[in-house]
Amino acid sequence: MRSLHAEQALPRWRRAVLKVGSSLLAANGGGLSTRHALGLAEFIAASHRASREIVLVSSGAVAAGRSLVRAQPEAAHGLAARQALAALGQTTVVALWQRFFDRPVAQVLLTHDDLRNRRRYLNARATLRELLNLGALPIINENDTVAVDELKLGDNDNLAAIVAALVDADLLLIASDIAGLYSADPRSDATAEPINEVAAVTPAILAMAGGAGTAAGTGGMRTKLDAAVKAAAAGIGTVLFDGTDATALRLLAADRLRGTHFLAGATRLQARKYWLRHAPLAGGRIQVDAGAARALLSGGASLLPGGISGVSGDFARGDMVEIETARDGGAAIVARGISQYAAGEVRRIAGRKSAEIEPVLGYSYGETVVHRDDLVATSGADA
């Protein structure tokens, strides 16, 4: 009998992304099963009772769709066929999770292109943020029905890591059908030893990964390590645990982990602020009054339209801009951040109250021009 991972304290978190793979949801006879989903749902419900937020990345659409066309076995082959199966199965996946919760669930389908495009990235984040504010459980899957090259090995593991950064999660939780990382593949090597903590995913750690995933899913240990690397780069830790183990799930709800903890290379705030400080600028600037400048420099404040006195240059929604204020006969850069509005839109709403954004523009992307999560204050000494 192989040895168990040691029990350890779960990192502190308020918002987490939970990835559940097809191997935990697929029934032996085809379709989806509640066998393991129930325990995972109980963990999610316990997290909600503790005033925590969960974003669920759930696989299973292709497996669910396949069960609906069992009389046509040829439907399991080819990209277009797999996309059709995903389309058939998406509603079944959402219905599976909705049955466990009194609160509403919301389906959000994404592709990597959505997350590479800054405008769509901001729209996706704003939608997810609002869903969490409404108390809903967002259920994310890849938009397999239109993806071309995204239906590949373990993509939802990597999608979950990207979503964790998208929603500013504190933790990435990956529920697998294995207890965690081992020194070798425990399914074929009886001497494999459990790895409880990984400070960094090195080549030696990568060498410990086994082969591909199960027949029901597409992932494997290597894709989970890739996801942990992506999350660590965003300052987010990852925990890998056995989603089929009822005891492990009960421990998780009590902030105890029996699995593998992949440490983040830096804090989430450090990683986010570093990116904001060094991301390329669009060339535009937003001028603010002294009161707004003080609020931004003090930290924790968003830039509202009322504090804006002018705009220079041109930039699009989602571009990185500098924020400056008048000082000593010149101008000083006090912050930089991602603008929720294009330059022309900012000019139209400058100096106005947030409630006036929609009446002036005819639409609104939110009450802030630069949200505090997308903003970093500078020393204020740059001229």
Side-chain angles (χ1 to χ4, degrees), residues 220-233:
M221 184 57 69
R222 179 58 184 261
T223 64
K224 292 166 178 55
L225 297 183
D226 290 342
V229 170
K230 286 184 173 65

Side-chain angles (χ1 to χ4, degrees), residues 281-285 311-316 319-321 342-345 347:
L281 290 165
R285 288 187 177 184
V311 177
S312 60
D314 190 32
F315 52 87
D319 281 345
M320 181 70 68
V321 299
E345 295 167 330
R347 289 187 178 96

Side-chain angles (χ1 to χ4, degrees), residues 129-262:
R129 182 183 290 154
E130 188 60 27
L131 286 170
L132 292 172
N133 288 340
L134 292 171
L137 172 65
I139 300 179
I140 296 177
N141 200 353
E142 192 152 12
N143 196 352
D144 292 339
T145 59
V146 298
V148 176
D149 61 351
E150 283 79 5
L151 272 175
K152 58 186 180 181
L153 183 65
D155 194 68
N156 268 2
D157 289 320
N158 289 290
L159 178 63
I162 295 170
V163 169
L166 175 71
V167 300
D168 293 320
D170 303 300
L171 193 61
L172 171 61
L173 305 165
I174 299 181
S176 181
D177 55 3
I178 191 170
L181 179 66
Y182 285 82
S183 58
D185 189 343
R187 294 169 295 188
S188 57
D189 188 343
T191 67
E193 291 294 327
I195 307 297
N196 296 312
E197 184 177 277
V198 175
V201 178
T202 62
I205 294 295
L206 289 174
M208 297 176 185
T214 63
T218 56
M221 184 57 69
R222 179 58 184 261
T223 64
K224 292 166 178 55
L225 297 183
D226 290 342
V229 170
K230 286 184 173 65
I236 301 168
T238 299
V239 297
L240 176 61
F241 64 97
D242 188 351
T244 71
D245 184 345
T247 301
L249 289 169
R250 286 194 295 270
L251 286 171
L252 206 66
D255 287 335
R256 305 291 297 177
L257 170 65
R258 191 162 74 189
T260 302
H261 178 202
F262 298 87

Side-chain angles (χ1 to χ4, degrees), residues 36-382:
H36 302 308
L38 177 58
L40 291 161
E42 289 174 345
F43 164 71
I44 295 172
S47 299
H48 287 156
R49 289 192 295 271
S51 299
R52 288 168 164 172
E53 296 173 340
I54 293 282
V55 175
L56 178 62
V57 176
S58 178
S59 302
V62 173
R66 185 177 291 114
S67 71
L68 299 176
V69 290
R70 282 179 293 196
Q72 303 177 41
E74 69 276 6
H77 304 289
L79 178 61
R82 285 175 59 81
Q83 291 174 328
L85 292 177
L88 285 166
Q90 287 291 354
T91 55
T92 304
V93 172
V94 174
L96 171 74
W97 290 110
Q98 180 65 86
R99 67 191 298 182
F100 297 122
F101 303 103
D102 292 330
R103 68 179 61 213
V105 303
Q107 183 184 53
V108 181
L109 299 177
L110 298 172
T111 66
H112 283 306
D113 282 340
D114 293 325
L115 303 176
R116 283 195 293 259
N117 181 285
R118 284 303 302 173
R119 295 184 186 184
R120 285 185 285 180
Y121 180 96
L122 287 175
N123 287 340
R125 186 167 64 173
T127 297
L128 290 169
R129 182 183 290 154
E130 188 60 27
L131 286 170
L132 292 172
N133 288 340
L134 292 171
L137 172 65
I139 300 179
I140 296 177
N141 200 353
E142 192 152 12
N143 196 352
D144 292 339
T145 59
V146 298
V148 176
D149 61 351
E150 283 79 5
L151 272 175
K152 58 186 180 181
L153 183 65
D155 194 68
N156 268 2
D157 289 320
N158 289 290
L159 178 63
I162 295 170
V163 169
L166 175 71
V167 300
D168 293 320
D170 303 300
L171 193 61
L172 171 61
L173 305 165
I174 299 181
S176 181
D177 55 3
I178 191 170
L181 179 66
Y182 285 82
S183 58
D185 189 343
R187 294 169 295 188
S188 57
D189 188 343
T191 67
E193 291 294 327
I195 307 297
N196 296 312
E197 184 177 277
V198 175
V201 178
T202 62
I205 294 295
L206 289 174
M208 297 176 185
T214 63
T218 56
M221 184 57 69
R222 179 58 184 261
T223 64
K224 292 166 178 55
L225 297 183
D226 290 342
V229 170
K230 286 184 173 65
I236 301 168
T238 299
V239 297
L240 176 61
F241 64 97
D242 188 351
T244 71
D245 184 345
T247 301
L249 289 169
R250 286 194 295 270
L251 286 171
L252 206 66
D255 287 335
R256 305 291 297 177
L257 170 65
R258 191 162 74 189
T260 302
H261 178 202
F262 298 87
L263 304 181
T267 67
R268 182 166 54 92
L269 181 61
Q270 287 171 337
R272 181 71 173 162
K273 295 301 185 183
Y274 180 86
W275 181 82
L276 288 169
R277 287 184 185 278
H278 298 282
L281 290 165
R285 288 187 177 184
I286 297 175
Q287 289 82 44
V288 299
D289 59 32
R294 285 193 297 271
L296 296 178
L297 287 171
S298 67
S302 297
L303 176 60
L304 303 177
I308 297 175
S309 56
V311 177
S312 60
D314 190 32
F315 52 87
R317 166 173 159 79
D319 281 345
M320 181 70 68
V321 299
E322 290 182 318
I323 303 170
E324 64 182 6
T325 190
R327 182 174 298 169
D328 299 328
I333 306 300
V334 296
R336 64 191 339 250
I338 300 169
S339 179
Q340 298 277 1
Y341 293 88
E345 295 167 330
V346 178
R347 289 187 178 96
R348 293 173 62 188
I349 61 177
R352 296 181 179 269
K353 295 180 179 179
S354 295
E356 296 180 82
I357 293 177
E358 187 163 1
V360 170
L361 298 180
Y363 52 87
S364 173
Y365 296 127
E367 65 181 14
T368 65
V369 174
V370 180
H371 193 274
R372 62 178 177 272
D373 291 341
D374 300 325
L375 185 146
V376 60
T378 68
S379 64
D382 301 326

